Amino acid sequence: MHHKNENNNHVEFLKNQKGMPAFQQNNGRYNLINEEVSLPCTTLKMSAVENNIAWMKHFAKQFNVQLAPHGKTSLTPAIISKQLEAGSWGMTMATIQQAFVAKQCGAKNIILANQLIGKANFELAYQLISQSECQLYICIDSLKNAQALSKFFSEKKQPLNVLIEIGVDGGRCGVREPQTALELATFISNDEYLSLQGIEFYEGVIHGANEEKEIKEFLDSIVLIANDYQQQALFNTSTPILTGAGSAFYDLVTEMLMSVSDHFIKIIRPGCYISHDRGIYQQAQNKVRERIQQSDILNKDLPGDLISAIEVWAYVQSRPEPNKAIVNVGKRDVAFDTELPMIEKVYRNVESLDINLDGIQTTDVMDQHMFVKIPTDCQLDVGDIVVLSTSHPCITFDKWRQIALVDDHGYVTEWVKTEF
């Protein structure tokens, strides 16, 4: 593993890892355009990351909700630490192993937005809770899981914070029927070691032509359930948690949270805002801004916006046909599950190449190759450096063990380790 030494800016690096320099620079700065870093390389522009952290912090403060960003997006301690230092209530994670990363970054509150299943995972959760001051919150959506957790943690004599997850038909996890959820809540509320701390949900699985309407209806049902549990005194706390929101509909969730009593701790959990992108999340953010402008509740001054911070740098490695170029990135390097990466900039001989990008289209990716359809007269040639935008940054992050941080002048100043 390499690190940045603050005394002399010396960077130790591994030559068996992609996206690293081939030689040491005495000043600790590496220029991608000058080919001082092996490509492909994934980069984060730190000014954009800091902008995104500040923007989402301002959003949450404006509407009196707490932030527990989903840390699985970057799973990079250097980035997660910045989110916590900016005042996030806590972090959201998908697995118990990821929860340990959040703990190491100093998170005092961790929401495991998933079911905890299996004795080995129970044991890890027990160790995290018993060996730290962290508050861990586990999602439950079945009586069988609740009974298994109750048995394990009662034997350990360790209380466990739980959230009931409410789901939707056709979605992922989560209780579907209100009566089933009520029976589960009653069991947990009366259990000696399980402590019902609130309700968790995820609206982002609702898609289709009427998604906004259906999401609002789903959120209305959550409000009814939360108020019902509060009236029945089922929560084992006077300040229960009500939490939802991914990166596409956090405005709708915030609007709903503003309608419930301030006895609830209201938490939103967007994750991809940290790096944003030029694909699906830019499209989602455009819709968020449109809805905010039309909202009677949320229409407040929100200066600035999220900025795409993540790019992948690579080479044109072949132009085997007049209308085809091959770039040396593939499924091992960049997201491909929603939209394919697209060329945004081109450099040749340390200079920006003025090239018409309109006729250039990524058509496919294989493990290590990206196929690009180009006009016959396109200037793209072997050895050109291309800078790619990526859509769905979570998938790009987890292809890399080291992420290069770049300044506004395009210099890599540091590599940070991911924990995938």
Side-chain angles (χ1 to χ4, degrees):
M1 185 179 75
H2 68 276
H3 64 277
K4 182 174 181 179
N5 186 308
E6 294 180 357
N7 295 323
N8 59 12
N9 285 331
H10 179 73
V11 177
E12 298 174 3
F13 56 88
L14 299 176
K15 293 183 180 180
N16 64 350
Q17 293 204 8
K18 59 187 179 179
M20 302 295 292
F23 51 83
Q24 301 281 357
Q25 291 281 37
N26 290 332
N27 64 4
R29 288 159 59 84
Y30 296 82
N31 190 302
L32 290 154
I33 300 171
N34 285 347
E35 301 188 71
E36 295 170 358
V37 175
S38 174
L39 304 183
C41 178
T42 287
T43 66
L44 280 179
K45 189 174 183 180
M46 282 313 296
S47 62
V49 170
E50 288 162 359
N51 168 85
N52 296 346
I53 290 173
W55 193 92
M56 194 59 75
K57 176 182 178 179
H58 177 69
F59 176 90
K61 185 176 180 181
Q62 276 280 66
F63 303 115
N64 197 31
V65 295
Q66 300 290 337
L67 269 176
H70 211 316
K72 73 175 175 63
T73 297
S74 74
L75 207 62
T76 302
I79 302 300
I80 292 171
S81 295
K82 285 184 177 293
Q83 293 172 289
L84 290 166
E85 289 163 6
S88 291
W89 173 88
M91 294 300 298
T92 301
M93 293 295 180
T95 69
I96 191 60
Q97 291 79 12
Q98 292 177 8
F100 275 91
V101 176
K103 170 184 167 290
Q104 291 161 9
C105 293
K108 299 302 182 186
N109 298 295
I110 302 171
I111 295 174
L112 191 66
N114 219 338
Q115 284 63 41
L116 187 71
I117 304 293
K119 290 181 180 179
N121 289 326
F122 292 178
E123 176 62 31
L124 288 171
Y126 168 71
Q127 291 176 20
L128 189 151
I129 297 165
S130 62
Q131 297 172 13
S132 74
E133 296 181 357
C134 248
Q135 292 295 317
L136 180 67
Y137 299 87
I138 303 296
C139 290
I140 292 182
D141 71 353
S142 70
L143 183 60
K144 187 171 184 178
N145 187 210
Q147 290 169 335
L149 287 165
S150 173
K151 181 177 185 299
F152 181 90
F153 283 89
S154 64
E155 290 172 356
K156 298 284 189 181
K157 300 191 183 308
Q158 173 65 56
L160 177 67
N161 297 324
V162 301
L163 307 171
I164 287 187
E165 179 171 7
I166 306 297
V168 296
D169 288 340
R172 299 190 312 207
C173 303
V175 185
R176 301 302 198 255
E177 297 298 329
Q179 182 58 38
T180 306
L182 179 60
E183 292 168 1
L184 180 58
T186 303
F187 173 86
I188 296 169
S189 182
N190 293 327
D191 190 86
E192 184 177 2
Y193 284 94
L194 299 184
S195 178
L196 184 56
Q197 292 291 307
I199 293 173
E200 184 271 353
F201 59 91
Y202 177 58
E203 74 296 336
V205 292
I206 300 174
H207 301 292
N210 298 315
E211 61 188 12
E212 289 183 25
K213 177 177 179 291
E214 292 175 11
I215 287 171
K216 288 179 179 179
E217 291 172 350
F218 173 57
L219 297 177
D220 287 343
S221 73
I222 297 291
V223 172
L224 292 175
I225 292 170
N227 288 336
D228 181 41
Y229 291 8
Q230 184 82 319
Q231 290 170 5
Q232 294 193 50
L234 290 175
F235 295 118
N236 301 122
T237 173
S238 60
T239 54
I241 289 169
L242 192 55
T243 178
S247 298
F249 301 103
Y250 59 88
D251 59 310
L252 297 181
V253 173
T254 297
E255 197 169 68
M256 177 274 271
L257 291 173
M258 293 177 71
S259 73
V260 302
S261 164
D262 287 338
H263 291 297
F264 286 94
I265 300 174
K266 309 168 187 182
I267 303 170
I268 58 173
R269 310 191 311 269
C272 288
Y273 77 90
I274 191 65
S275 64
H276 201 47
D277 68 15
R278 293 191 182 98
I280 57 170
Y281 287 110
Q282 182 58 60
Q283 296 162 21
Q285 181 69 359
N286 291 341
K287 292 181 180 180
V288 167
R289 297 306 295 251
E290 290 173 7
R291 289 193 297 265
I292 288 174
Q293 290 178 354
Q294 297 166 6
S295 171
D296 295 332
I297 299 172
L298 301 184
N299 192 7
K300 293 185 179 181
D301 184 32
L302 290 170
D305 208 342
L306 300 177
I307 302 171
S308 180
I310 190 167
E311 292 178 328
V312 180
W313 292 59
Y315 286 117
V316 176
Q317 72 177 70
S318 179
R319 187 168 174 179
E321 300 169 13
N323 297 107
K324 178 181 288 185
I326 305 296
V327 176
N328 70 330
V329 296
K331 294 179 180 179
R332 301 294 183 96
D333 310 299
V334 67
F336 57 91
D337 59 323
T338 56
E339 297 176 3
L340 296 178
M342 295 300 296
I343 296 174
E344 301 286 347
K345 291 175 281 189
V346 182
Y347 294 95
R348 178 184 297 166
N349 299 328
V350 198
E351 299 290 338
S352 176
L353 191 63
D354 185 13
I355 186 169
N356 182 5
L357 299 175
D358 292 341
I360 297 176
Q361 180 185 6
T362 304
T363 58
D364 198 6
V365 288
M366 297 178 72
D367 274 7
Q368 312 284 178
H369 300 85
M370 185 176 98
F371 295 74
V372 183
K373 183 179 179 182
I374 57 176
T376 303
D377 60 355
C378 180
Q379 299 176 61
L380 268 187
D381 206 351
V382 173
D384 288 344
I385 294 174
V386 293
V387 183
L388 309 172
S389 62
T390 179
S391 187
H392 198 187
C394 297
I395 305 300
T396 296
F397 271 108
D398 79 6
K399 307 293 183 183
W400 296 82
R401 300 300 167 261
Q402 311 286 343
I403 302 287
L405 306 185
V406 299
D407 62 18
D408 288 343
H409 304 291
Y411 283 88
V412 179
T413 59
E414 186 177 358
W415 276 263
V416 291
K417 188 175 184 294
T418 68
E419 293 290 347
F420 292 103

